[in-house]
Amino acid sequence: MRDVLIVGGGVAGLAASIFTARAGLDTLVVDSGGRSPPSSRTQSGDGGESILARNASLENYPGFPDGIDARRYLLLAREQATTAGATFELGRVTRVEPVEEGNVEAGFVVSTEGGEPLEARRLIAASWPDSEYLTPLDVGREQRGSKYVVSVDEAGRTAVSGVYAAGRIAGEPHQAIVAAGHGAKVGLAAIQDSETPFYHDWVAPEGYFTGRGREVPPACEEIDDEERRRRDERARETMLEQLAEPLEQKPTMHPSVDRV
């Protein structure tokens, strides 16, 4: 049984997975088709397509002064989740229900189209606009136009203990930076509810805590200057490698557009 299963490998789901995996929770992201990222460093079976892939250029996300190819951003976020320890499975989730009828504390069984059932203690829905699989749980889906959103509290918790919703499926604005922030917030809620010791996901310079006579808090880390430089070098090498050549992938057109 996984600690956390995340349905949807878009911005919100990836952000949540980075936090839960870095906190040491066994995290699986299930994504439902699309084009597989051409990266040898991602897990086998990794695939799926966020609605962000329809963007021609992502230009309002902090940290990219001239914008970035939206598909490139998704590749980078997916690789970051993999580096953090999250794993990926290609598949479409069709149904979620308690492992034990009437007892959500025992976890959930997740059925997928053509795949083996999966089990998880906690589930994060980040699969805009698909939420039909949540119907057996009665989490509180509200219809808005032709779509449904899931009712959540300020931390992304639904009415069902152990089930969360992140990003647009939770009614958040349709912007990548908002989805990422909300996904992270929901990931933190799942960590808190798992009773995993956690203070901040924070890498601090050597002595930041210990120099004041304090122990390094849970999930924090102190590193010396040599390690800081090593990590910086690795980060720059990764970015240089990833951005060395343009992606051949083109934006995915909206399905209603006449392509004739």
Side-chain angles (χ1 to χ4, degrees), residues 11-147:
V11 180
L14 290 172
S17 74
I18 290 167
F19 275 82
T20 58
R22 280 175 61 87
L25 299 182
D26 184 2
T27 302
L28 174 66
V29 181
V30 180
D31 211 3
S32 61
R35 300 175 296 201
S36 297
S39 171
S40 61
R41 295 171 66 178
T42 51
Q43 295 291 328
S44 175
D46 186 2
E49 183 174 69
S50 165
I51 200 167
L52 180 61
R54 297 178 183 176
N55 244 12
S57 179
L58 178 58
E59 298 188 347
N60 61 358
Y61 202 101
F64 301 100
D66 292 309
I68 187 170
D69 184 299
R71 287 140 299 282
R72 175 74 70 187
Y73 166 79
L74 287 168
L75 285 172
L76 290 168
R78 193 181 296 266
E79 182 158 335
Q80 186 174 0
T82 302
T83 300
T87 55
F88 291 80
E89 183 165 319
L90 184 63
R92 179 176 176 272
V93 173
T94 57
R95 185 178 180 86
V96 178
E97 52 196 331
V99 171
E100 298 177 8
E101 186 175 355
N103 180 21
V104 295
E105 300 300 326
F108 304 92
V109 58
V110 180
S111 301
T112 61
E113 202 169 61
E116 294 294 323
L118 305 165
E119 292 187 353
R121 294 178 179 84
R122 289 175 173 78
L123 181 128
I124 298 176
S127 51
W128 178 259
D130 181 20
S131 63
E132 286 290 331
Y133 59 88
L134 294 171
T135 303
L137 295 178
D138 193 23
V139 295
R141 296 164 68 234
E142 298 177 357
Q143 187 167 5
R144 294 187 184 176
S146 61
K147 306 288 196 306

Side-chain angles (χ1 to χ4, degrees), residues 3 43 69 80 90 106 114 130 132 148 159 166 168 175 189 191 196 210 224 239 242 245 247 251:
D3 292 321
Q43 295 291 328
D69 184 299
Q80 186 174 0
L90 184 63
D130 181 20
E132 286 290 331
Y148 285 84
R168 199 175 180 196
Q175 298 292 326
I191 295 167
T196 298
T210 55
D224 61 24
M239 295 300 292
Q242 289 283 359
E245 300 290 340
L247 284 179

